[in-house]
Amino acid sequence: MGKTHERIEGRLRTFIEEQPLFFTATAPLSGDGTINLSPKGLRGSWAVLDAHTVAYLDFAGSNAETIAHLRENGRITLMWCAFQGPPNIVRVHGRGEPVFRDDPRWAELMGHFPDVDTSVHGLRAIVVVRAELIRDTCGYAVPFMTYDADRDLHGKRFAREDDASLSDYFAGKEHIARSIDGLPGLPLPLPPTPAA
């Protein structure tokens, strides 16, 4: 049976931090807008900031639907599933915002991700989510699957980009600056990567 939690702590926090994969779900306000569901991998690219706040690194990709939806309305659900060990599904429903490279909070937030070499992944934002509802459910129907390793293809692809070429790459993609439904997405040109 499902259980509602007041805080992300203890076994719940440990579970979230140990998973190799999670999913994000967002939607525009328009009733006929495109709902977005995205898998997120790369160990170390998400963190529990406090008992009510989680964050993850948003890397280069073919679109920016999550960013567009968050800029419009802030609604987001994050979901982690146990593919190994005891069955469990954790959902964090809340309000999120993309924090861009020129935000004064950038350096402090980056301190939560010490194990990720962001220079090779085309980091474009940090998504910060404030939990409004935290629930876990049984996950009895989630299959067992093994985690072998993170794929290295993303890092190999974007390691060859600098700030200018990455910004050009984004400008050339149809659904980066504007979402599928025409909402403002990633602000371009990208601000430069802050000095470490």
Side-chain angles (χ1 to χ4, degrees):
M1 300 299 292
K3 181 179 178 183
T4 299
H5 299 267
E6 293 296 318
R7 304 167 64 81
I8 304 168
E9 58 188 6
R11 71 168 184 81
L12 204 62
R13 179 177 183 147
T14 300
F15 176 78
I16 286 172
E17 291 177 336
E18 289 180 347
Q19 299 314 304
L21 170 74
F22 74 101
F23 301 87
T24 68
T26 58
L29 291 176
S30 170
D32 61 353
T34 305
I35 297 169
N36 188 63
L37 177 63
S38 295
K40 304 292 181 183
L42 190 59
R43 280 196 186 265
S45 65
W46 55 92
V48 178
L49 305 187
D50 62 41
H52 298 100
T53 314
V54 296
Y56 69 89
L57 302 177
D58 182 73
F59 296 114
S62 297
N63 63 42
E65 297 303 300
T66 301
I67 287 174
H69 296 160
L70 293 178
R71 290 182 70 191
E72 185 204 35
N73 62 64
R75 299 176 306 162
I76 188 168
T77 298
L78 308 177
M79 183 180 75
W80 292 264
C81 299
F83 295 109
Q84 298 176 346
N88 195 20
I89 300 171
V90 173
R91 290 179 181 87
V92 172
H93 306 266
R95 297 282 169 178
E97 70 167 313
V99 175
F100 300 113
R101 296 172 174 189
D102 55 354
D103 190 294
R105 298 171 291 173
W106 183 269
E108 178 186 347
L109 288 169
M110 282 303 301
H112 293 279
F113 307 98
D115 299 327
V116 178
D117 181 358
T118 58
S119 68
V120 299
H121 290 283
L123 181 60
R124 58 189 187 183
I126 303 167
V127 174
V128 178
V129 178
R130 181 82 175 160
E132 295 179 340
L133 177 64
I134 306 159
R135 291 195 39 86
D136 68 344
T137 53
C138 67
Y140 290 168
V142 175
F144 283 110
M145 291 189 284
T146 59
Y147 166 76
D148 296 324
D150 287 336
R151 294 178 191 261
D152 63 358
L153 297 173
H154 193 272
K156 286 180 177 177
R157 163 59 187 93
F158 290 100
R160 60 183 182 243
E161 305 287 354
D162 60 18
D163 286 344
S165 67
L166 187 62
S167 196
D168 290 344
Y169 168 82
F170 290 146
K173 291 287 185 181
E174 185 177 7
H175 300 300
I176 297 284
R178 309 283 305 167
S179 75
I180 292 170
D181 300 313
L183 297 172
L186 187 68
L188 296 175
L190 279 181
T193 302

